[in-house]
Structure formats: C-alpha cells, structure tokens
Amino acid sequence: MNDKPDLNSMIGAEPARSGLGVEALKRDIVDNLICLQARYPEIATPHDWYMALAYTVRDRMMTRRVATTHTYVARDAKVACYLSAEFLIGPQLGNNLINLGIESSTRAALDALGLDLDALLAIEEEPGLGNGGLGRLAACYLDSLSTLEIPAIGYGIRYEFGIFDQEIREGWQVEVTDKWLQKGNPWEIQRPDVAFYVKLGGHTESETDVQGRYRVRWVPAYTVKGVACDTPITGYRVNTCNTLRLWKSEAVESFDLQDFNAGDYYEAVHEKVQSETLSKVLYPNDEPEAGKRLRLAQQYFFVSCSLQDMLRLLALKGEPIARLPDMFTAQMNDTHPSIAVAELMRLLIDERQVPWDAAWDITRRTLAYTNHTLLPEALETWGLPLFQSLLPRLLDIIYEINSRFLDEVRRRFPGDDARLARMSLIDEHGARRVRMANLATIGSHAVNGVAALHSKLLEETVLRDFAQMWPERFHNVTNGVTPRRFLMLGNPGLAALLDETLGDAWRTDLGKLRALDQYADDVAFQDRWRGVKQDNKQTLAAQIRNATGIIVDSSALFDIQVKRIHEYKRQHLNALYIVTLYQRLRRDPELALTPRCFVFGGKAAPGYAMAKLIIRLINGIAEVVNDDPVVKGRLKVVFFPDFNVKNAHFIYPAADLSEQISTAGKEASGTGNMKFMMNGALTIGTLDGANVEIREEAGDDNFFLFGLSADEVERVKGDGYRPASFVDGNQELHEALEMIGSGHFSRGDRDVFRPLVENLLHADPFLVLADYAEYVARQHDVSAAWQDPRRWTRMSILNTAYSGKFSSDRAIREYCEQIWKIAPVKIAL
Ligand code: 26Q
C-alpha cells in the first residue's frame, strides 16, 4: 500500500513493537527488559529475559489482534465460540515464534545479546488448564481456527491453579500445587471493562408484569463477577490472531446483607468466600466424588459470562437478538458447558423478554454438542437438591424444556413409557438427577462423536433414542492434532527433513505428506530418517536421566505409553508384558531379546486409588528390572514424572512404538495416538477410538493390531467374564501375576499390589487378562519387525506419510462445513 507512510525510511529503522528483523527484535527485547521488567541487562535474571522476550513477541501479535477484530466487525463475520471448561494450551513462546515466522531472527537477536533461545524457552511455565485429551483438543482447535483464518473465540475458565504437578516419591504419585501464575503471565491481557455478573443460589419469585405477562424473578443468595482475561492465539503464517477468553471470578463487594436474616448471614458470607474461590482450581477428572457444588458453579459461571459476552457482541454489531444463530455458533466441549442450553433460554426469556418458542429456536440453532465419552460412570449428572439450591431458575427452565420435549416424544412414540424414562432430562431411578448429556442433545442442532467408531457407538448406545428421533442431527468429526506444535515445534529435525524432501506445503496441508511414500524404500532417505529419530531418542534419554537418574540406551526400541493413568487405558497390561519379558530373561539369561526401553508418563486423579497403584507398580517394576544384572540392560523401565504439554514435545518424537491398548469401545478417540503417528512411531493397538482410522490410513501391514473388538468385549461381558479362565491356560500370565502378588516389586510387601491383582483376577471390567495373550503375541511381532531396520524404517516413514487425516486443520474444516457453516475471513495488515 503506497498511501501509507514508510516508517522504516522515516525513522531509519524498523518500527518499534512490530518490526520482525533482528535489529528491531534486539532493541525491543532490551526496551521491554527496562520498561516492563524494570531491570537492566547486567543484573537481569534468565526469567527477566524470558519476560522481556515474551513481551516482545506479544507486541508483534497485537497489530494482528487489532486488525483481526476490526476485520470481523467490518465484515459481519459469523464467529465460532468454543465453550470448554479446559484449554491445555501449553507453553506459548515457541509456538508464537513459529507462527509469526520469527524463530531464526529471534535466535539471532538473542545471540547478539549473549542469550540462548532454548534456555529461555525452557523457563516458561505452562498453563495446565486441562486434564488431558479434551483440554488439549480444545487447544489444538484454537491453533487450527487461527491458522485457517476462521473467526473464533475460545471461552473457558482462568483457573488460578491448573492440573497439579506430579512428583514421584518412593514410587508413589504425590500431587503438588501448580502455581503457574506466581511469576506473572506475559501472554494474558486482563480486561476489567469486560465483566459480567452471575447469580447463584437463592430462590425464584413469579409475578405478572404491567403488560400482563408472566415473569420470573431470580433472587440470588449471592452474585459473582466474571472478568475477562484474554490470551491472543496466532495462526501459522497468517495475520489472524483470535482470542482465548478465560473468566476469572471476583467477589461483588456490594452484596446486600440486609436481605438475610441472622441464619442466612453466615451462609451469605460463606457464599461470598465461595465466589472468590470459583475460578481457583481445576477439577481433576476420574474423581469418584466429583459431584461437587463448586464444580457446577464453575460450569455455570463460565457459561453465563460467555453467553452474556456473545449477546454483548451481537448488540455491538447492531444485530437483533433473532440473528444470534447467524452471527455466532457455540460448540459445547462435552457436557461441562451444557448448562448453556438453559442459561441461553434464561437470558433470552427473563432478561430480553423473548417468548419461549422463539427463544428455543434461537438456542437450538446456536448450540452444538460434542460428546467425548461412552463410559456410563463418566456421564455427567447432578442431583436435584444441589441443582435446585445453586441454580433454582435454571432448574425451572429445565423442567419446562423437559415437559415440552416429553410431549414431543409422546407424540412420536405413543405409549412408550420406557423410552420416555430414558430420554427424560431427569433420571428418576433412585435419587433424582439432571442428565446433562440429554440436556446438551435436546438443546443442540448438531451432536457429534470424536472418532468414527465412537460416533457409531454413541448412536447405538448412550444417545440411541435421540439418534432415532433426529438422525439428521448426528455427525462424526474425528479428532485431530496440530502439526505446528507436535511436529514442527517438537520435532524440528523431522520438519527440516520433510521440508527438504517435499517442500513446506505440508505445514498447512498435512495430506501432502502422502508423497513421502515414494521415499519409504529409498535407502539414503531411510538413513536420514533413522538419524533424525536417533537424535530425538538421545534428547529424550538425556531428559530421562535428568528427571529420574535412569540411564537408557538410545539404540533400544523406545516403547512409549503416555496418557492419563486409567484402568480402561490399561497401563497394567503393558506392565504385565514387561514382567513377562523379565521372567523370560530370568529363566533363560542368554535369550536373544530385543532391547527395549519402556517409557510411561501420565497423571492419576488424586482420588483414584487403582490408578495410583498402577503408577506404583510401574515404578516397582522399574526399580527391580533396571538394576537386575540378569537383565544386562536389555530392558529399561521409566516412569517419566509430570507428563505435560512441555515434555510431550520431546517425548512423542522419540517413540519407536506407540502403545494404544485401551479396551475396545472405551477410548472415545485418543489424540496421543495421532501425535505418535505423525512423528513416525508404529502403533500397537486395539480397534478402539481413532486407532481404527489410524490403521485404515496406515494400512494393516503398518499397524500391530490385537485384542477383542468392541462387539466382542460386550459379548464376553454379557456371557459373564471369567478372568481365571485366561490364567488357567497361560503359564506366563499366571507367573507374572504371582510375581506381582509375591512382593517382588514392592520390596517384599505382599499387600501393596493385592488390590490390583485381585481386581484383575476377579472383577476387572476392562478385560486385561482376556487380551493378554494376543498382546504378547503381537509384541513378539513388533520385536521381529525391529530386527529388520529397513523394514521398520519403511513402516515408520509410511506412518508419517499417511498421518495427514489427523491434522486438526482437517477436523476444523469439517466442523466449519458440517456444523458451524462458517467460512474463513482473510486479515490484511
Ligand atoms: C467432569 C465433572 C467433574 C469434574 C471433572 C470432569 C471431567 C473433566 C475432564 C471429566 C472429563 C474430563 C476429560 C475428558 C477427556 O479428556 N476425554 C478425552 O477426550 C479426548 C478428546 O476428544 C479423546 O480423545 C479421549 O478419548 C477422551 O477420553
């Protein structure tokens, strides 16, 4: 544009805060060190430099941020709002450098200042605002939304304490508070002017207004204020910079104690304290007693703030309320935000006087729901007394939605009382509860599962009645992961080799990796491929040594299972295999055994005793096996502590083998499986979640399949699963269980692992022993394939080559086309 002043020639340098050259970066880093950190170079700590650098990068994002908002408003663009209780975004600095394309100039600028970029990258605290897959998926989707230039806002909660840090003491998990905000967060922009009030508790009163209309007034026990805290989200080499808007709760000072009698006074003070703690801490999943009042309050709090913000933005655009579904779509990430169905109705009816039918039409056309689990114990429900006391007005509305909905069901399926009972928003078996999955489904125009198998099972089981009633509302969108973070940032060696071989178009069009298949048998290329993997394994080996003191040989097969610890994910099946190998070595010390390094990582929910025991078992096995002279270093077992996004960066690229061994039908999708595949790991896995599609893409020959299918699992359970029958015929399994029970891995204590062994032998809903034999057999095939490095490398190359489908860019395109009806908007600077 030649009508703009040429700032460069005017001031003889690149403009402050936006210049992307080495000189500008260097100058602004020092500027920020002085102006924002109040430090001068000679006394600055590495953390000061990190902050100065982060602010320098953030400055470069702000012009993009402003241009992005401006363009969306000017174009009347429809915006995708992703509602999620979790966003596990990981460290921001490296990712933003890549997206802005200034990694090498920044490295050079730091070099000139005598600083090392990698050292500064290592300083960043990651925001642990999620438990695992679901939270990380939301973060990958934000990355893709910006990269694909889709107008989008992520809405969630600014937890002061994210997921706990995990330490391992005496083999046990110990939870340590995550204090990620202690040293300040340079990426966050607080917006005290963007704040909303949220009512909680109290009761409702009805009245007839002057126009003779029935009105309900919610008289809350207390009110909480939600303040917006924004994190800018860059796209890869585009100008789009969207927003992740997280709500922080604050107490409202002026709540009126006069309203309360003496008895309620203490309650009111208590509730005030509660309101300040609303956004304090992230709840771990898999907690047996997760039905906490505070959790429901958190969900309602962030949903209400987000919907109020959408309505504010709609008004700002000068649009009438009826246009909400044309200007915004709100995707509910699991049922955690599903109170949105009732809250949007409340905002429309109580606060904007929209009639019920119009409000319902707007609500349904605005909302959509993604389900992430089939496990009955993980389906969210809330007891009526709790719901009533915290959200009285919303319960009224839920009753009304339910009554109208059940009338519709009765018309469609006359006389089918069993169906009515199953579909009702209220579960009447035992103490009555609100069913959030039913609420989310009824209040949405689209419902989707997260992998083909999962979506199919969803329609056949958990949401069957709904799929029969509204088949057109059901979709599948198979999950995806961002190649920017999990390939380019985590595996720069491989990224460079791919660029050199294919050009760099794969970075935003991962399908282009397919062309790699021509090189699968190319010996020179294979050698380079192996070289990259070898370097990555050495990096991981160094990190392992650092974190655990264990020394591993990077020429061994790196066999990795990282994910939350859960019985359905069956880390203990993997452990049983290790014990089996160990026993083979003890029986026959000269056995020609493929050297393997087993790496585990993942957190267990603090209240999930069996998951914590599995961690103890892995560490017990490591303690014995790693130092036993009979093993001669051929087996190493590592529990890598505190698995998180930051260390995931170097774990996935170092894997030869990816363990995806959940009981078929239990893992909705899995996303770690995709990160491993992209980085050239082969998978050993069951036909579960996205493994099915991974195998389809990779080809049967390049995937190690074992185990019962989802149908077979159900059949075995229907017939009455008898674990003992699998032990009777299997000497190795028998001995492995014996050894664990004997105290061999617990310093002689026979009690420690008893609950685990007893469970496997007598209860185990996840059929570990039923799949053991085939798992061991397939692991044997893995070892055989490893013996032939050319064959292995070929399979590794093909896995990366065929991983294109699992880019989150593909997934986001599908959401845009099938569900959101949103198109990209280009941002010019
Ligand atoms: C619910 C109520 C109270 C407290 C906590 C929770 C809670 C929090 C987080 C329940 C579940 C979660 C997280 C679930 C999750 O991560 N699910 C995973 O989602 C991935 C993305 O779709 C899938 O790939 C995984 O298969 C699925 O397990």
Side-chain angles (χ1 to χ4, degrees), residues 461-479:
T461 61
V462 177
L463 298 181
R464 177 184 184 151
D465 296 312
F466 299 94
Q468 281 175 4
M469 190 149 162
W470 304 303
E472 70 288 350
R473 287 192 202 171
F474 282 76
H475 302 257
N476 171 248
V477 182
T478 298
N479 283 166

Side-chain angles (χ1 to χ4, degrees), residues 555-573:
S555 68
L557 191 168
F558 276 26
D559 178 337
I560 308 189
Q561 186 171 19
V562 284
K563 48 182 81 238
R564 286 299 287 256
I565 311 294
H566 198 294
E567 288 167 278
Y568 86 76
K569 296 176 186 280
R570 301 198 295 191
Q571 282 92 353
H572 45 347
L573 175 57

